[in-house]
Amino acid sequence: MIVFIDESGDPGFKLDKGSSRVFVVSMVIFKDSSRAQLAQDKLFELQKTIKAYPEFKFNKLPNAKRDAFFQTVSELEFICRAVVVQKDLIYSPNLRTKKESFYKFFIRMMMEHDAGILENARVIIDGSGDRNFKKQFCAYLKRNISKEAVTKISLKDSKKDFLVQLADMTAGAIARSY
């Protein structure tokens, strides 16, 4: 099982000064590597066809290219799970003031409350932040997620992985619906 995670929105709470009203974390799950490889291949071909460079990013693509993207992935076999955080309903001082804690907490919540889907999963998360944050983040998830559910966690730049881009596109579409 291979899982790709990305988010849409920001962890900030200045809702009247430009922070997003919702934060969405999306998890795209492929039951096996052959399905993931097929998706990679289809998205590689689509990128060349519609000239979506340097990557598929929901908030940067015009509507016609978004539509082509979702038409292509509608034919693929994967599961998408997401967490939508309506930030005006968050009262925890820790989550409201510590952006890294906010980000880590909601990714962990999505992975913990997976409805039993995750099993021996390799998880790839869109990687941002400095090296120290990445190391602490992976260690945090490994401490808090069942070893039977997740066997490996790594961070990867979305520009280098079409399936992380798929997670971005699903998160962006869900966020847009809110």
Side-chain angles (χ1 to χ4, degrees):
M1 174 173 289
I2 305 172
V3 177
F4 300 86
I5 297 174
D6 201 358
E7 82 286 334
S8 180
D10 61 80
F13 279 85
K14 294 180 181 174
L15 302 178
D16 56 342
K17 295 183 179 171
S19 292
S20 62
R21 299 221 170 271
V22 297
F23 180 79
V24 177
V25 181
S26 177
M27 177 166 63
V28 174
I29 304 161
F30 290 91
K31 295 275 186 179
D32 59 59
S33 59
S34 64
R35 292 176 187 168
Q37 186 59 54
L38 176 62
Q40 285 270 28
D41 295 345
K42 292 248 184 207
L43 291 174
F44 176 74
E45 288 303 317
L46 178 64
Q47 185 183 50
K48 289 191 305 187
T49 302
I50 67 171
K51 296 175 176 49
Y53 300 110
E55 64 181 316
F56 294 106
K57 198 147 187 71
F58 187 86
N59 288 323
K60 294 186 178 178
L61 282 181
N63 288 338
K65 291 183 180 185
R66 273 192 215 127
D67 291 346
F69 180 91
F70 286 114
Q71 181 63 43
T72 298
V73 301
S74 71
E75 302 165 5
L76 301 171
E77 287 185 60
F78 64 91
I79 299 164
C80 179
R81 291 189 53 87
V83 169
V84 178
V85 180
Q86 292 180 257
K87 295 190 306 188
D88 60 337
L89 301 177
I90 303 295
Y91 295 101
S92 163
N94 187 47
L95 295 178
R96 290 183 70 90
T97 59
K98 297 180 180 171
K99 292 179 181 184
E100 290 178 355
S101 294
F102 178 93
Y103 180 78
K104 291 188 304 187
F105 177 77
F106 286 108
I107 288 181
R108 183 183 114 212
M109 287 295 99
M110 180 180 61
M111 293 173 74
E112 278 184 359
H113 302 282
D114 67 337
I117 292 172
L118 296 180
E119 186 177 311
N120 295 317
R122 288 185 302 136
V123 177
I124 300 161
I125 303 170
D126 183 26
S128 59
D130 63 29
R131 185 178 182 163
N132 190 40
F133 169 74
K134 290 177 183 181
K135 187 176 178 180
Q136 288 177 356
F137 178 50
C138 288
Y140 168 83
L141 290 176
K142 287 175 186 173
R143 277 193 314 273
N144 289 288
I145 305 299
S146 158
K147 289 176 181 36
E148 292 78 32
V150 175
T151 58
K152 182 179 179 185
I153 299 170
S154 59
L155 285 86
K156 193 170 191 181
D157 182 354
S158 64
K159 288 181 183 160
K160 298 177 182 173
D161 194 303
F162 286 115
L163 301 182
V164 175
Q165 294 171 36
L166 173 57
D168 173 274
M169 293 290 288
T170 59
I174 294 165
R176 173 72 53 92
S177 74
Y178 281 82

